[in-house]
Structure formats: C-alpha cells, structure tokens
Amino acid sequence: MLILGIESSCDETAAAVVADGRRVLSSVVATQFELHAAYGGVVPELAARRHLENILPVVQGALDQAGVTQNYLDGLAVTQGPGLIGALVIGMAVAKVLAYTLKRPLTGVHHLQAHILAAFLTETPPGFPFVALVVSGGHTNLYLVRDFLDMQLLGRSRDDAAGEAFDKVAKLLRLGYPGGVQIEALAGSGNPEAYHLPRPRIPEEPLTFSFSGLKTAVAVQLKKDPRILEDPAAQADLAASFQEAVVESLTRRAWLALTQTGCRRLVVSGGVAANRRLRQCLQGHSRETGVQLFLPPLSLCTDNAAMVAALGYHRLRAGELLSLDADVFSRG
Ligand code: KG4
Ligand code: ZN
C-alpha cells in the first residue's frame, strides 16, 4: 500500500511516499529557516505563503524521487493539527484536491502522534507497549503507546515546550534561529556545571514538564552579568548549563513514566530529539537500566512527511477517513 504523506504544520513543507507504513520510498523537506531567521522565530503569515509556493513542487519531488506517478498511490495522509492554521490549511487543501481528483481515500493525522511513528521507519521498530517522549518546538508530550492508534497522554508541559525554550534562550544569547541547533553547537565547548539553573518539579504532577522558569533564570543571569554576551567562553558555559537542565528534565520524566507504566521500551522523537547531548544522556540511561531505546535518525526526528504517511497507513487501514469538509486544528 503506497501512501503519500503531506506535512505543512509549521516551517517545513514536506511530502513523502511510504510503502506499508514501513518503507520510505521518498522524503522531501523544504525548510524555511532563512525566511524566519531575521525575526528570530516563525512568522505564521510568511510561513503560509512559503508553503503555498513550495507545496506542489515538493509533492512532485516526492513522487519523482519514489519513481511513481500519482496513479500508483493507494491513499493520502495529511497533518490536520496541531500547528499554525494558515500553514496547515495549505497542506490540507492540496491533499483534498489530490484525493478528490485521484479518487483515493484521505486521512488526517495528529502531528505529535506522527512523530512517534518515525520509530517504525527504521530497521528495528519497537514492539508494543512503549513510552514515547515527543519533544518538538511546540510540545513536550509523554505517551503510553499500546498500539498504532492507541496513544494515551501521560504528561505534557504546563508552559513552554522544550524546543520553544531552546529557541527563546537562543534569542536571549543572541544566537540565530532555529535555536536548538545553535545552542547545541555553542554548548559543545561549554561547562554544563558553570551555572546552577533550576530544574522545576511539580510534586503532585510528576510527569508534567515546565521550562519557562528555566528560560527566566537564563534571562536573570544575563541581566545580572551582561558581560556574558561579550565573552564567548561564558556564553558557551551558560548554553551548556541550560542544555543540561533541559536534558535532565526530559530524561528524568521519561524514566519516571517507564517506571509508572512498567514499560521497558522508550521512543524519543521530535525536533529536540536531534540534540546530541540528549541522545547521549538517553543512551547512557538505557545502558544502565536495560530499557530499550528507540531513537530515529535525525532526519526522521525533525519535521518530515514520512512519519505522516506512516501513521496515515494505519489510520486508512482502520477506516479512519477524512471527509472533504474537514477542518484543521491549532491545538490538541
Ligand atoms: O519537531 P520539530 O522539527 O517541529 C515542530 O513540530 O515544532 O521541532 C522543532 C524544534 C525547534 O524548537 C528547534 O529549536 C528544536 O526542535 N531543535 C533542537 C535541535 N534541532 C532542532 N533542539 C535542540 N537541539 C537540536 N539539535
Ligand atoms: Zn514536529
């Protein structure tokens, strides 16, 4: 079964052709980093317009790369939300038109659940059940995954998402966009113990994340000592200390969720899962505890449409179809 996936929820226009929810025949991603860099974050209106320019060439690119024409497709899957409304609408409109003209079934996919399916596009997919940690620019969610279509939310961030914290702290440190990549590069030469930053915990909600206090602590440190911004070594120390606090917070809760659910498998995905320090820390914990860790390669962790096609395959098989008057959603 060949599925075309379409993704346009934020600042990446992506399309992919995936066979049987497992084999990636093509995956094309057009990023918009340079468009938003000057603003230090994604400008929704600009993102939507760029999606409009890119979407048809990206879809055609995915078909060409897979060596198929539209007629070979068995179904289509599109990200329905959460994301930027103006951006989602572009992918949705194209997916509907293709499904209508080709007379193929269409399904809508939850972006964060799709991130989890990236783990099934590797040589060694996880068995069920498992805990999944999805760390993206807009969300930090922990799930108990019992099956492809049975995902229970265990915890989320009560304020900023982990990726958002990376992006905001990068801005405070006057680094470029996207922030995660820049902080990771700078942190490589810094001392993670140089600054003592908070690791907020909510005792009555142990699986709830909170990152806004951490961002504020970095801002307070910079206000107290503005010379940090002129001193590359101090800047690297602060970046490394911040990164360490995020990594610790993510790792601690992921293992708590494993203990609470009794699961021995962990999937970590989403843009922040591309962070090398996080991957290293997760791998260390996995070795120590014997928990099986599933970390998709970097290109599948960040936004792509192969993960959308993978989840779409299971939804289509289950008969979860999208009607042609379906809307997109921004939250959820
Ligand atoms: O999943 P994703 O590609 O898009 C969303 O669905 O949001 O995640 C983007 C987020 C951004 O906040 C970006 O700063 C962060 O992932 N990110 C990273 C790294 N690469 C991307 N954060 C930390 N380290 C990285 N290497
Ligand atoms: Zn994402």
Side-chain angles (χ1 to χ4, degrees), residues 87-100:
L88 288 162
V89 158
I90 309 293
M92 179 60 80
V94 168
K96 281 182 181 176
V97 167
L98 282 173
Y100 180 74

Side-chain angles (χ1 to χ4, degrees), residues 111 115 136 303 307:
H111 180 80
H115 268 301
S136 73
D303 282 352
M307 65 186 197

Side-chain angles (χ1 to χ4, degrees), residues 138 278 289 306:
L278 174 62
T289 58

Side-chain angles (χ1 to χ4, degrees), residues 55-219:
I55 190 114
L56 290 179
V58 164
V59 167
Q60 191 57 51
L63 292 170
D64 292 347
Q65 211 182 77
V68 298
T69 64
Q70 296 171 355
N71 295 322
Y72 283 86
L73 299 173
D74 296 299
L76 293 99
V78 63
T79 303
Q80 198 175 0
L84 306 169
I85 290 296
L88 288 162
V89 158
I90 309 293
M92 179 60 80
V94 168
K96 281 182 181 176
V97 167
L98 282 173
Y100 180 74
T101 52
L102 295 171
K103 299 188 173 57
R104 296 292 193 279
L106 169 67
T107 190
V109 159
H110 190 285
H111 180 80
L112 299 162
Q113 295 183 359
H115 268 301
I116 298 173
L117 268 280
F120 291 86
L121 299 172
T122 64
E123 300 264 301
T124 49
F128 295 107
F130 59 82
V131 167
L133 171 64
V134 184
V135 259
S136 73
H139 298 82
T140 313
N141 287 5
L142 268 170
Y143 294 90
L144 169 59
V145 182
R146 296 190 190 87
D147 201 351
F148 292 109
L149 304 181
D150 182 358
M151 303 182 182
Q152 180 192 340
L153 187 66
L154 299 174
R156 64 199 309 173
S157 175
R158 62 152 54 174
D159 40 57
D160 292 349
E164 193 178 355
F166 267 101
D167 295 335
K168 286 180 176 170
V169 167
K171 221 169 171 175
L172 291 173
L173 288 171
R174 302 205 185 129
L175 304 171
Y177 172 83
V181 179
Q182 310 273 345
I183 290 196
E184 179 181 336
L186 185 62
S189 59
N191 171 11
E193 285 164 17
Y195 294 93
H196 289 285
L197 299 175
R199 278 116 170 104
R201 276 197 247 177
I202 306 143
E204 64 283 7
E205 291 174 40
L207 294 180
T208 297
F209 299 89
S210 170
F211 293 107
S212 74
L214 181 56
K215 171 201 64 194
T216 307
V218 172

